[in-house]
Amino acid sequence: ERVCDCFGGGRGEMVLKHVAMLAAGVAAAGGALALWNAVLSELAKRRLRVGVRMVEAPLPEGGKVKMAVYEAGEGEYTVVLDAGLGMSALSWSWVMEEVAKKSRVIAFDRPGLGASPPPPKGKGGGGG
């Protein structure tokens, strides 16, 4: 006995299959993105010569978090690059290389991403 035939005519089963396929596709894309980030970061480290240092930043709720900051170039202006989608700052390596020819450029790894250690438990983190 059916309790609910919300989609009518057995379509509920079909919808669940499509949702499962979509979830599998999203998981695969996430894995591919993580792999791409690792490959890109390794290539950037080999190709780009930038200074990297660890800085401590205060958290609004108290405490501090450490972040890796990459710096290159000199100039009147400073350009700050923020990587998205959970990527490392090194995903900006080709951009940094060009911008550094005329300006100071800074990129950073959010806590828990790239070379930055994870934040203290319950104190925010990467992702953005």
Side-chain angles (χ1 to χ4, degrees), residues 38-105:
V39 169
L40 188 62
S41 292
E42 187 56 37
L43 289 173
K45 285 178 192 174
R46 293 178 184 185
R47 182 172 183 267
L48 184 63
R49 293 185 183 98
V50 296
V52 61
R53 62 188 173 102
M54 296 300 285
V55 298
E56 284 190 345
L59 293 168
E61 61 271 12
K64 294 183 179 180
V65 67
K66 291 183 179 180
M67 296 189 313
V69 175
Y70 304 85
E71 299 176 82
E74 294 180 6
E76 182 179 352
Y77 300 101
T78 299
V79 177
V80 179
L81 304 172
D82 182 11
L85 296 174
M87 301 289 280
S88 163
L90 293 174
S91 63
W92 285 108
S93 64
W94 286 270
V95 174
M96 287 183 76
E97 187 175 31
E98 290 301 312
V99 173
K101 292 176 181 176
K102 296 185 178 184
S103 300
R104 179 175 179 227
V105 60

Side-chain angles (χ1 to χ4, degrees), residues 14-26:
M14 184 176 67
V15 169
L16 287 176
K17 286 180 183 177
H18 282 86
V19 168
M21 288 188 321
L22 178 62
V26 168

